[in-house]
Amino acid sequence: MAVKTSPCNALYYHNTSVIFYRSIVIILQLLILGCSNSNKVDKDTNVNIDVINNVGFKSVFAKNGISVKLIPIEDNSYTLQVSIANYTDTLDYYLNSKTQQQSVPKIFFCADYVFLLTASSSYRYITLSYLDKRFNKIITHKYTTNRDVSSDIDGAIFFKEGYIYLYDLKEHELRCMRPNFNMSSFNEAIIFSGDSILIIDEREMGKYKKQDFSMKGNLLAPTILR
């Protein structure tokens, strides 16, 4: 015997099927959105938003026209590019959303150069970039400062154009001095025994005190874009 289906029952089954399939589509859309959130990028700079939140900036610049910005390299990871005048250079950093804060550089601008600072328990690392107008290119140098536990000061040291610079991490100020001999090839310094500073060059070795850095450097206020 044939089973008769009323128009009301047929309409009920049709509506139920439509609701079911719509629910499936909505669930799939939510899953897709959930998977893509971790790769969401800023529409203006194409930088992963999670990386921006972790690093603290998309780009940083100062009134001297120098800027530092994140640029993608691979797998949602980024490095830093410095721009001075019409020249650019890619720096040796590897940053992503899981980078520890001590590995995210602090950026400092001066009149015609920029330096980036990272620190571990005993070491301070500086990357210095400036424009060499003789060769029309950006020059980048790296410097390491070893802070001994016997030191009363905390700083990072670098060299530029005849001057040795000390950035004081406690007082947040930059000071400099002109040494008695050329320290242009130095790349490591040691801070120890109160405020003693030992700077080791390939040919020379100089020992200084904090008060020897008697000239104050001028740090420019940065503008941070997030």
Side-chain angles (χ1 to χ4, degrees), residues 1 74 102 186 190 219 223 226:
M1 179 183 296
E74 59 181 13
Q102 66 180 17
F186 113 86
I190 303 172
L219 294 173
T223 299
R226 292 184 171 87

Side-chain angles (χ1 to χ4, degrees), residues 47 58 69-73 77-81 90:
V47 177
K58 291 181 293 188
K69 69 177 183 178
L70 290 167
I71 58 170
I73 43 178
S77 296
Y78 296 77
T79 188
L80 293 174
Q81 182 184 78
T90 301

Side-chain angles (χ1 to χ4, degrees), residues 88-116:
T88 62
D89 190 23
T90 301
L91 306 180
D92 188 19
Y93 289 93
Y94 188 85
L95 304 169
N96 55 44
S97 60
K98 297 181 180 179
T99 301
Q100 295 183 357
Q101 286 302 301
Q102 66 180 17
S103 298
V104 176
K106 293 179 173 61
I107 303 172
F108 301 92
F109 297 94
C110 296
D112 59 352
Y113 64 94
V114 59
F115 67 95
L116 294 81

Side-chain angles (χ1 to χ4, degrees), residues 2-222:
V3 179
K4 294 182 179 181
T5 303
S6 70
C8 291
N9 288 337
L11 181 61
Y12 170 78
Y13 291 127
H14 171 75
N15 289 341
T16 302
S17 299
V18 170
I19 293 172
F20 174 76
Y21 286 115
R22 285 182 177 174
S23 299
I24 294 296
V25 170
I26 291 172
I27 291 172
L28 289 174
Q29 288 176 337
L30 289 173
L31 289 173
I32 292 171
L33 288 173
C35 292
S36 62
N37 277 343
S38 61
N39 296 321
K40 188 165 54 175
V41 299
D42 181 88
K43 63 181 180 180
D44 297 323
T45 59
N46 199 34
V47 177
N48 184 290
I49 292 177
D50 290 337
V51 177
I52 295 173
N53 291 336
N54 185 44
V55 173
F57 61 86
K58 291 181 293 188
S59 63
V60 186
F61 62 92
K63 64 181 181 181
N64 60 2
I66 301 177
S67 65
V68 179
K69 69 177 183 178
L70 290 167
I71 58 170
I73 43 178
E74 59 181 13
D75 299 332
N76 289 323
S77 296
Y78 296 77
T79 188
L80 293 174
Q81 182 184 78
V82 59
S83 298
I84 305 176
N86 295 319
Y87 303 91
T88 62
D89 190 23
T90 301
L91 306 180
D92 188 19
Y93 289 93
Y94 188 85
L95 304 169
N96 55 44
S97 60
K98 297 181 180 179
T99 301
Q100 295 183 357
Q101 286 302 301
Q102 66 180 17
S103 298
V104 176
K106 293 179 173 61
I107 303 172
F108 301 92
F109 297 94
C110 296
D112 59 352
Y113 64 94
V114 59
F115 67 95
L116 294 81
L117 170 67
T118 57
S120 64
S121 58
S122 299
Y123 289 89
R124 285 79 182 100
Y125 305 96
I126 278 186
T127 298
L128 167 71
S129 293
Y130 61 93
L131 180 64
D132 190 325
K133 296 180 180 179
R134 296 171 300 171
F135 303 104
N136 289 324
K137 63 180 293 187
I138 294 176
I139 303 298
T140 297
H141 293 296
K142 294 184 177 182
Y143 300 91
T144 300
T145 302
N146 180 2
R147 180 177 184 265
D148 189 80
V149 293
S150 63
S151 175
D152 294 331
I153 62 175
D154 189 0
I157 296 170
F158 63 93
F159 180 90
K160 181 180 183 294
E161 296 179 342
Y163 288 86
I164 299 175
Y165 289 82
L166 167 66
Y167 177 74
D168 192 312
L169 275 72
K170 291 182 178 179
E171 298 181 3
H172 303 290
E173 67 176 13
L174 182 67
R175 307 192 72 84
C176 66
M177 62 165 289
R178 183 180 285 276
N180 296 327
F181 48 88
N182 186 4
M183 300 290 291
S184 60
S185 58
F186 113 86
N187 57 17
E188 184 169 359
I190 303 172
I191 299 176
F192 66 100
S193 185
D195 65 345
S196 297
I197 300 170
L198 185 66
I199 299 176
I200 304 170
D201 186 85
E202 290 181 353
R203 301 174 301 276
E204 304 283 353
M205 183 171 63
K207 186 176 181 181
Y208 307 95
K209 294 286 187 178
K210 180 182 177 180
Q211 59 264 29
D212 294 327
F213 294 81
S214 57
M215 293 177 282
K216 189 172 182 179
N218 183 28
L219 294 173
L220 304 180

